[in-house]
Amino acid sequence: MNAGDFLDRIDLAALPGAVSRRARAAARFRATGWPTRADEAWHYTDLNARLKSFDLALPAEAGSVAGLIPETDLPRIVFVNGRFAEDLSTKMPGLGCYASDAALTEGRDQPMVALNAALAQDGAVLDIAESVDAGTVLLVSIAHAAHQAAIAPRHRIRLGAGAALTLIEIARGEGEYLHNPVVEIALGEGAVLRHYRLQDEAMAAVHVATIFADLASGARYDSFTLNCGARLSRNETHATLAGAKADVHLNAAQLLTGSQHGDITTIVAHDAPNCASRQTVKSVLSGAARGVFQGRIEVARIAQKTDGYQMNQALLLSPDAEIDSKPELEIFADDVKCSHGATIGALDPEQVFYLRSRGIPEAEARAMLIRAFLDEALEPVTDATAHRLFEDAIDAWWRKGVL
Amino acid sequence: MPAVTETIETIDRLAGGGYKFGFETNIEMEFAPKGLNEDIVRLISAKKGEPEWLLEWRLKAYRAWLTMEDPHWARIHHPKIDYQDLHYYAAPKRPAPKSLDDVDPELISMYDKLGIPLNERAALAGVAVDAVFDSVSVATTFRESLAKVGVIFCSISEAVREHPDLVRKYLGSVVPAGDNYFAALNSAVFSDGSFVFIPRGVRCPMELSTYFRINARNTGQFERTLIIAEEGASVSYLEGCTAPMRDENQLHAAVVELVALDEASIKYSTVQNWYPGDAQGRGGIYNFVTKRGACRGRNSKISWTQVETGSAITWKYPSCILQGEGSTGEFYSVALTNNFQQADTGTKMIHLAPNTTSTIISKGISAGHSNNTYRGLVRIMPRAHGARNFTQCDSLLIGDQCGAHTVPYIESRNQSAKVEHEATTSKIAEDQLFYCRSRGLSEEDAVGLIVNGFCRDVLKELPMEFAVEAQKLLAVSLEGSVG
């Protein structure tokens, strides 16, 4: 369905919060419509083609979703169909409040962010005070759609100076839907956020997540995203290093099969001197899956002594798989060290042969090599729960018989 | 004083060094009226006595051009070009000379200043030169010794008259008339250029070279070059350019088409040193070029080498279509920008057939207020089993007012293909400078040496005859840019 028709069917005034703000966002989204391939930022992902067959509407009440929430001991915040599910969440006094208005920031102009602003009903607001280590929190967003629903939570995470948080974000669902979360992150001086994200949506779903992370000086944003669900997914991360000596790690892996399309897009803006950014992105593609990686490192004139590095590797496991990669450097400062690398290929037959000659069966040998390939991106994930969740998701992918 | 500060100051001091080849030769020109319409296209075609099919081809291109828009995706900025304010046909007023004796002495002296080996020196240097003065070829040497082995090397208008079947078969077969905005414009109004045909099994006995000069004010240059190497043939073609100094921007939209059949190889080398504009960014050439080679035959090979130091704006992506099994595409490039120059250049390697290989080595050097972008595409199609690509793009920044950008597009649809890409951006390391300085090299020589070393992978690909000139031209640009 086209963008205008979809918005026409929604009574924005019936949604909570200020109508004028929603209306402005809706107007911005109407002006652009669904992103198409003519839009350079969406060169390899045709969202329009996928969504025009969707008969989108706002989500109705969900059924039971308990089975979709992973078992952990961690405090958790659960959203179902874009609304806060109090009964499923842990009581965390002082840690968060939920309000639609508070989570809406204007001025981000990407079409899917504007759509989120027009539709968002709820979001987690995590405000961690100065110097507090808030431990690990699970943020689960569940889509349970009987019809083709558009679900758009908008979260905001703020860490005061010296604060620390580990956030494990999980997107899951059942049915056919568009899940369009936006996460806005602001890190104070010296704050550390570890952000581990698992995109494990239903196989018919469309998932478009946009993350904005703004770092003050000395702050650190460590993120790892595992993309394995959804028919079409896109994870777009904008990291802005606004203070000196900030540090960002944007690692990601995608495991795709069948006719899945996965897009990992990163924009790292070095706006201050002496910052470092590291990215390791791995794609494992089987069936007729198509992987996309677009990563841009922007170094502003002021950002001297920048150290930027980006590695993007893809393994093609089948004749019909495809990878499109666009690692970009945009550099305006001279005293910098920036590099990127990209490699694309199949599993090395010699390595498979080596393992087989040691008595390891073919499938196991291939699995072993793929795990080793993924490890480089997964390695910095130090949180045990997150690590286990990712391992489980990878194992589940295996069981689909992709090898 | 820290070495870097000093380097930057040296650049500033030398930036006013100016353009060595900035002079203008006064020869009366015969102009078509300004502007572009079907009548102008017909006029150009009529002036050249072209057959009907070529006129139709031009008109078709012109009509396609009318429906197209300027490409806006490149990282270049310029005021809108008024295509109606240009001359589309300019030629020296006298009839085309029949031998060197008939050539305007002023022209000859201009070539002398540029050091083109045209008369005796041509023989000594062993180079056949098809010198293009603005739009009409004025002198061609060594035609006979080439003719002996069956090589055709002439202007494209001559080829249209004398080898119409060949031209008709291949013209526009690599870059179709409506390929892109500038290629369509070129197809409609191209005035002249070179035509090379190397018959089956012939190894061209000498390097072929064309010197381009842009000389007439307000004259767009629309060169068209077509090179065909038949089965087992090989040729090395050199293209070099320098232009007189002037204030107004000039548009240059050339098209180069290469066709390599089975086992054939074409090496195309360019040294581009057109007027880059002055230190404030006024004037300079707009260089919007479409260069593409088709490796049609098995194990054919096309190699592009370019040293780009000139032009206010460069928009150029020499590409290879690897259609023949086992064919090879290569792209070696040095792009140096200074002052307010803008370069957006790179390549496209389209792997269509099995076991095709491509190599891309790109070295960008930005100084002053310039912006230098590498933009490249590597596409592996499903049929290209065992395809292989290696890409390396390095950028060197000199001074903190310039920009260096890398925009590669890498697309693979074949599991067995291997693609590798790496890119780095850095400045001249202070320890390298210090090392050279401590050995007694001057600041300038040290920077020159390091930059030359940075470009070495590309410069060594140039043919002998050209390497000397390329280094000279790079040195001239370095004088005005990096010390």
Side-chain angles (χ1 to χ4, degrees), chain B residues 94-105 107-108 118-119 137-141 143-144:
Chain B
R94 321 161 169 215
K98 289 180 180 60
S99 73
L100 278 180
D101 302 337
D102 295 339
V103 171
D104 192 313
L107 249 183
I108 297 286
L118 189 65
N119 36 44
S137 302
V138 290
T140 305
T141 53
R143 191 79 74 76
E144 277 151 37

CSV table of all heavy atoms in Angstrom, one decimal, chain B residues 94-105 107-108 118-119 137-141 143-144:
chain,number,residue,atom,x,y,z
B,94,ARG,N,42.0,26.9,-42.3
B,94,ARG,CA,42.6,26.3,-43.6
B,94,ARG,C,42.1,24.9,-43.8
B,94,ARG,O,41.7,24.2,-42.9
B,94,ARG,CB,44.1,26.3,-43.5
B,94,ARG,CG,44.6,27.5,-42.8
B,94,ARG,CD,46.1,27.2,-42.4
B,94,ARG,NE,46.6,28.5,-42.0
B,94,ARG,CZ,47.9,28.8,-42.1
B,94,ARG,NH1,48.7,28.0,-42.7
B,94,ARG,NH2,48.3,30.0,-41.7
B,95,PRO,N,42.2,24.5,-45.0
B,95,PRO,CA,41.8,23.1,-45.3
B,95,PRO,C,42.8,22.2,-44.6
B,95,PRO,O,44.0,22.5,-44.4
B,95,PRO,CB,41.9,23.0,-46.8
B,95,PRO,CG,42.7,24.2,-47.3
B,95,PRO,CD,42.5,25.2,-46.3
B,96,ALA,N,42.4,21.0,-44.3
B,96,ALA,CA,43.3,20.0,-43.6
B,96,ALA,C,44.6,19.8,-44.4
B,96,ALA,O,44.5,19.6,-45.6
B,96,ALA,CB,42.5,18.7,-43.4
B,97,PRO,N,45.7,19.9,-43.7
B,97,PRO,CA,47.0,19.8,-44.4
B,97,PRO,C,47.2,18.3,-44.8
B,97,PRO,O,46.8,17.4,-44.2
B,97,PRO,CB,48.0,20.2,-43.4
B,97,PRO,CG,47.3,20.1,-42.1
B,97,PRO,CD,45.8,20.1,-42.3
B,98,LYS,N,48.0,18.2,-45.9
B,98,LYS,CA,48.3,16.9,-46.4
B,98,LYS,C,49.5,16.3,-45.9
B,98,LYS,O,49.7,15.1,-45.8
B,98,LYS,CB,48.3,16.9,-48.0
B,98,LYS,CG,46.9,17.2,-48.5
B,98,LYS,CD,46.9,17.2,-50.0
B,98,LYS,CE,45.5,17.5,-50.5
B,98,LYS,NZ,44.9,18.7,-50.0
B,99,SER,N,50.5,17.2,-45.5
B,99,SER,CA,51.7,16.7,-44.9
B,99,SER,C,52.1,17.6,-43.8
B,99,SER,O,51.5,18.7,-43.6
B,99,SER,CB,52.8,16.6,-46.0
B,99,SER,OG,53.2,17.9,-46.3
B,100,LEU,N,53.2,17.3,-43.2
B,100,LEU,CA,53.7,18.2,-42.1
B,100,LEU,C,54.0,19.6,-42.6
B,100,LEU,O,53.9,20.5,-41.8
B,100,LEU,CB,54.9,17.5,-41.5
B,100,LEU,CG,54.7,16.4,-40.4
B,100,LEU,CD1,56.0,15.9,-39.9
B,100,LEU,CD2,53.8,16.9,-39.3
B,101,ASP,N,54.5,19.7,-43.8
B,101,ASP,CA,54.9,21.0,-44.4
B,101,ASP,C,53.7,21.9,-44.4
B,101,ASP,O,53.8,23.1,-44.4
B,101,ASP,CB,55.4,20.8,-45.8
B,101,ASP,CG,56.6,19.9,-45.8
B,101,ASP,OD1,57.2,19.8,-44.7
B,101,ASP,OD2,56.9,19.3,-46.8
B,102,ASP,N,52.5,21.3,-44.6
B,102,ASP,CA,51.3,22.2,-44.7
B,102,ASP,C,50.8,22.6,-43.3
B,102,ASP,O,49.9,23.4,-43.3
B,102,ASP,CB,50.2,21.4,-45.4
B,102,ASP,CG,50.6,21.1,-46.8
B,102,ASP,OD1,51.5,21.8,-47.3
B,102,ASP,OD2,50.0,20.1,-47.4
B,103,VAL,N,51.3,22.0,-42.3
B,103,VAL,CA,50.8,22.3,-41.0
B,103,VAL,C,51.2,23.7,-40.6
B,103,VAL,O,52.3,24.2,-40.8
B,103,VAL,CB,51.3,21.3,-39.9
B,103,VAL,CG1,51.0,21.7,-38.5
B,103,VAL,CG2,50.8,19.9,-40.3
B,104,ASP,N,50.3,24.5,-40.0
B,104,ASP,CA,50.5,25.8,-39.5
B,104,ASP,C,51.8,25.9,-38.7
B,104,ASP,O,51.8,25.1,-37.7
B,104,ASP,CB,49.3,26.3,-38.7
B,104,ASP,CG,49.3,27.8,-38.5
B,104,ASP,OD1,50.4,28.2,-38.0
B,104,ASP,OD2,48.3,28.4,-38.6
B,105,PRO,N,52.7,26.7,-39.0
B,105,PRO,CA,54.0,26.8,-38.3
B,105,PRO,C,53.7,27.1,-36.8
B,105,PRO,O,54.4,26.6,-35.9
B,105,PRO,CB,54.8,27.8,-38.9
B,105,PRO,CG,54.1,28.3,-40.1
B,105,PRO,CD,52.7,27.6,-40.2
B,107,LEU,N,51.3,26.2,-35.0
B,107,LEU,CA,50.8,25.0,-34.4
B,107,LEU,C,52.1,24.1,-34.0
B,107,LEU,O,52.2,23.6,-32.9
B,107,LEU,CB,50.0,24.2,-35.4
B,107,LEU,CG,48.5,24.0,-35.1
B,107,LEU,CD1,47.9,23.1,-36.1
B,107,LEU,CD2,48.3,23.4,-33.7
B,108,ILE,N,52.9,24.0,-35.0
B,108,ILE,CA,54.1,23.2,-34.8
B,108,ILE,C,54.9,23.8,-33.7
B,108,ILE,O,55.4,23.0,-32.8
B,108,ILE,CB,55.0,23.2,-36.1
B,108,ILE,CG1,54.3,22.6,-37.3
B,108,ILE,CG2,56.3,22.5,-35.9
B,108,ILE,CD1,54.1,21.1,-37.2
B,118,LEU,N,56.7,15.4,-33.0
B,118,LEU,CA,55.8,15.3,-34.2
B,118,LEU,C,56.6,15.0,-35.5
B,118,LEU,O,56.2,14.2,-36.2
B,118,LEU,CB,55.0,16.6,-34.3
B,118,LEU,CG,53.9,16.5,-35.3
B,118,LEU,CD1,52.9,15.6,-34.9
B,118,LEU,CD2,53.3,17.9,-35.5
B,119,ASN,N,57.7,15.8,-35.7
B,119,ASN,CA,58.4,15.5,-37.0
B,119,ASN,C,59.6,14.6,-36.8
B,119,ASN,O,59.3,13.4,-36.7
B,119,ASN,CB,58.8,16.9,-37.6
B,119,ASN,CG,59.2,17.9,-36.6
B,119,ASN,OD1,59.9,17.5,-35.6
B,119,ASN,ND2,58.7,19.1,-36.7
B,137,SER,N,41.8,16.7,-37.0
B,137,SER,CA,43.1,16.2,-37.0
B,137,SER,C,43.9,17.0,-38.0
B,137,SER,O,43.5,17.2,-39.1
B,137,SER,CB,43.1,14.7,-37.5
B,137,SER,OG,42.4,14.0,-36.6
B,138,VAL,N,45.1,17.4,-37.6
B,138,VAL,CA,45.9,18.2,-38.5
B,138,VAL,C,47.1,17.5,-39.0
B,138,VAL,O,47.8,17.9,-40.0
B,138,VAL,CB,46.3,19.5,-37.9
B,138,VAL,CG1,45.0,20.4,-37.8
B,138,VAL,CG2,46.9,19.4,-36.5
B,139,ALA,N,47.6,16.5,-38.3
B,139,ALA,CA,48.7,15.8,-38.8
B,139,ALA,C,48.7,14.3,-38.3
B,139,ALA,O,48.4,14.0,-37.2
B,139,ALA,CB,50.0,16.5,-38.3
B,140,THR,N,49.1,13.5,-39.2
B,140,THR,CA,49.2,12.1,-38.8
B,140,THR,C,50.5,11.5,-39.4
B,140,THR,O,50.8,11.7,-40.5
B,140,THR,CB,48.1,11.2,-39.3
B,140,THR,OG1,46.9,11.8,-38.9
B,140,THR,CG2,48.1,9.8,-38.8
B,141,THR,N,51.3,10.9,-38.5
B,141,THR,CA,52.6,10.4,-39.0
B,141,THR,C,52.6,8.9,-38.9
B,141,THR,O,51.7,8.2,-38.3
B,141,THR,CB,53.7,10.9,-38.1
B,141,THR,OG1,53.4,10.7,-36.8
B,141,THR,CG2,53.9,12.4,-38.3
B,143,ARG,N,51.8,6.7,-40.7
B,143,ARG,CA,50.6,6.0,-41.2
B,143,ARG,C,51.1,4.8,-42.1
B,143,ARG,O,50.5,3.7,-42.0
B,143,ARG,CB,49.8,7.0,-42.1
B,143,ARG,CG,48.5,6.5,-42.5
B,143,ARG,CD,47.5,6.6,-41.3
B,143,ARG,NE,47.1,8.0,-41.1
B,143,ARG,CZ,46.2,8.6,-41.9
B,143,ARG,NH1,45.7,8.0,-42.9
B,143,ARG,NH2,45.9,9.8,-41.6
B,144,GLU,N,52.1,5.1,-42.9
B,144,GLU,CA,52.5,4.1,-43.8
B,144,GLU,C,53.1,2.8,-43.1
B,144,GLU,O,52.7,1.7,-43.5
B,144,GLU,CB,53.5,4.6,-44.8
B,144,GLU,CG,52.8,5.3,-46.0
B,144,GLU,CD,53.6,6.4,-46.6
B,144,GLU,OE1,54.9,6.3,-46.7
B,144,GLU,OE2,53.1,7.5,-46.9
